[in-house]
Amino acid sequence: MRTRPKFELALATIVTMTLTILRSCSCRARDQHDLLLGSTIERASNMKPDQASKVALPRSPGTYVLILQASARKHFRIGKLGMIEIHPGYYLYVGSARGPGGLAARVSRHRGRIRSRHWHIDYLLCHTEFREVWFMRSSAVLEHQWAAVLEVEESYEIPQTGFGSSDCNCSSHLFSTSRPPRLSTFRESVQAWSGGSPERL
């Protein structure tokens, strides 16, 4: 029986490891794509402050967009981030829910009485009215992709750089627009950003 030289064994090992890594990357890319497109971005609106945890939202992890409305021009401080000026219109805040209670618990906190201002969004909630929330149940963290989608949309502006993104490389997780935002348009933008339908991967 022929004994394979050491360099052939080493080469075979390298090839096997490379193929394994490529398969793993391909699976992760497909999984991420399916999470962006295969799941449904849902909507919950007209919730009373105590309804988020009881009726409208699941207790699973996910990513969400708060749709808020400002009725007047205001100028106020966002903690250490500094001063912000808001104008009549709509504000979209992108976040994720990873802790106990998932989306229901996180959005319920946003909808309830703010006892302590911990996050940037806590300051904005005191000066705006809740309109609805878009959300997707997902174990993946998609808030950075969603923020990137909104950032490149011509109809949205960034009212304050660094808002909600002090722990990541995003320009902001807060966006503003003068017109009521449309969920259908956002779904289409997410699909275009991710490169099309799953069959194209």
Side-chain angles (χ1 to χ4, degrees):
M1 181 177 178
R2 177 176 174 266
T3 302
R4 298 178 68 180
K6 291 184 178 180
F7 78 89
E8 288 187 12
L9 291 173
L11 180 60
T13 301
I14 291 172
V15 170
T16 301
M17 292 175 63
T18 301
L19 289 174
T20 300
I21 292 171
L22 289 174
R23 290 193 192 99
S24 176
C25 291
S26 177
C27 289
R28 283 199 297 269
R30 183 172 287 103
D31 289 344
Q32 184 74 350
H33 190 284
D34 291 343
L35 284 167
L36 282 168
L37 293 176
S39 300
T40 301
I41 302 175
E42 303 173 69
R43 169 196 282 132
S45 58
N46 299 323
M47 292 184 300
K48 294 180 181 179
D50 62 344
Q51 282 187 320
S53 61
K54 295 180 180 179
V55 179
L57 295 171
R59 298 182 63 82
S60 54
T63 301
Y64 62 90
V65 180
L66 294 181
I67 311 299
L68 310 171
Q69 185 175 12
S71 57
R73 177 182 177 184
K74 294 184 179 180
H75 196 239
F76 53 93
R77 178 172 293 278
I78 305 290
K80 295 180 180 179
L81 187 63
M83 302 300 293
I84 185 175
E85 183 175 327
I86 63 174
H87 300 267
Y90 295 86
Y91 289 81
L92 288 75
Y93 172 75
V94 185
S96 62
R98 317 295 305 165
L103 287 161
R106 178 56 58 87
V107 176
S108 180
R109 183 190 186 281
H110 293 325
R111 295 284 292 119
R113 181 180 179 183
I114 300 174
R115 294 180 174 83
S116 62
R117 297 176 182 179
H118 177 67
W119 295 309
H120 293 159
I121 187 62
D122 293 337
Y123 296 85
L124 182 62
L125 287 169
C126 296
H127 300 277
T128 55
E129 293 291 331
F130 173 87
R131 288 294 173 254
E132 61 184 28
V133 57
W134 303 341
F135 64 95
M136 178 187 286
R137 311 169 215 215
S138 172
S139 57
V141 179
L142 303 177
E143 60 177 310
H144 310 299
Q145 291 91 330
W146 286 18
V149 167
L150 292 173
E151 183 175 356
V152 299
E153 284 293 315
E154 294 182 358
S155 57
Y156 295 108
E157 298 181 354
I158 294 178
Q160 180 78 335
T161 301
F163 191 105
S165 59
S166 56
D167 58 348
C168 67
N169 295 323
C170 298
S171 299
S172 178
H173 279 199
L174 181 68
F175 305 89
S176 62
T177 178
S178 59
R179 298 180 178 180
R182 298 178 60 186
L183 177 56
S184 59
T185 303
F186 179 66
R187 284 195 185 116
E188 293 172 359
S189 297
V190 169
Q191 181 172 352
W193 183 89
S194 63
S197 63
E199 289 74 18
R200 293 182 58 185
L201 278 181

